[in-house]
Amino acid sequence: MKVTWQKKDTKQQTLKSFLRKQGVSQRLYGKLKKGYGQVLVDGQKTKLAILLEHPVAVTLELPADAIEENVAISQGPIEVVYEDEFWLVVNKPAGLTSVPGPSNSTDTLVNRVKGYFIEQRSAIKAPRIITRLDRYTSGLVLFAKHSFAQAQIAAQVESHRMDKRYFALVQGQISREHGFIEGPIARVADDVKYQITPEGRFAKSEYWLEKSKAELSLVQVKLHTGRTHQIRVHFSENGHPLLGDKLYGGECSLIARQALHAGKLSFIDPFTKKYLEFSCPIPPDMQLIIDKEFGNWQSESL
């Protein structure tokens, strides 16, 4: 991995201080001192104990993360939405698990992305998943190509400045054009379900009504917290379970999975400072219901 920053002023500053301000942790700085990677100033390799006095370009070069031998390689297909030297955005199909686990350790999205990089003869052998989706939720998933990129984007994830938008078909008629659902969420004892309970962790969802009729509503949802099953729990416990969500009481005759799609994703690239925004169309199983119930609808933002 290679990233370059510009020091634009003439203020004296140690190279260490400059790197720390760019997000280089004390741990990574210690590894650099021991020979892990290298730092260049105006294209020339330099010692770390120097003083920067003039405008210069500072480049950090890091080797690829070591291959994770315990993560199997899958040749299953992936749909690449975007790729650059730091990030990979893919459109996950419903039914594919995001990360390896006891029930599936060989053909998850992570396994397939690892296989994709190997097939591309890339130096990247240990992709870092940043955003995850439930197995039966479709849509955009972000990967970092290096652990340093993962660390750089972590603040946006933790503070929910990374904007993730979902589209959901929920049962019943929602009358308000815009609203919030708040309710602390915790896991039901001895169950895979979650519920709103005073003992849970604070959770907040924001929604915009796209289409509505007596039996069905289409909503766009933004998460202000990232609790497990948050959208599914918030809407089901407010009387509007997601269509197809058997676990939370959804009607399953029209679709074989929860009608939930992560259709938009945006964030500030911590390296280039550019605003990156991605979208992917609603998949056919959901779109078929939308067209039947609401006419030929398509979000202007997708």
Side-chain angles (χ1 to χ4, degrees), residues 129-186:
I129 190 167
I130 305 301
T131 61
R132 302 184 185 188
L133 297 176
D134 292 343
R135 178 180 176 183
Y136 292 105
T137 299
S138 58
L140 298 171
V141 176
L142 173 66
F143 284 83
K145 291 187 172 183
H146 195 280
S147 55
F148 183 60
Q150 180 184 29
Q152 291 288 81
I153 200 70
Q156 289 186 59
V157 176
E158 293 168 2
S159 65
H160 301 284
R161 286 179 286 126
M162 178 177 289
D163 194 345
K164 296 180 288 183
R165 301 293 179 99
Y166 297 77
F167 291 87
L169 284 166
V170 303
Q171 292 174 217
Q173 187 168 32
I174 292 180
S175 57
R176 296 182 61 185
E177 294 290 328
H178 172 250
F180 295 88
I181 302 175
E182 295 186 13
I185 293 176

Side-chain angles (χ1 to χ4, degrees), residues 48-78:
L48 295 178
I50 65 168
L51 192 65
L52 303 177
E53 301 181 274
H54 308 288
V56 290
V58 178
T59 300
L60 174 67
E61 293 184 353
L62 299 174
D65 291 331
I67 189 169
E68 296 179 331
E69 299 289 352
N70 61 326
V71 177
I73 298 168
S74 171
Q75 300 302 324
I78 63 170

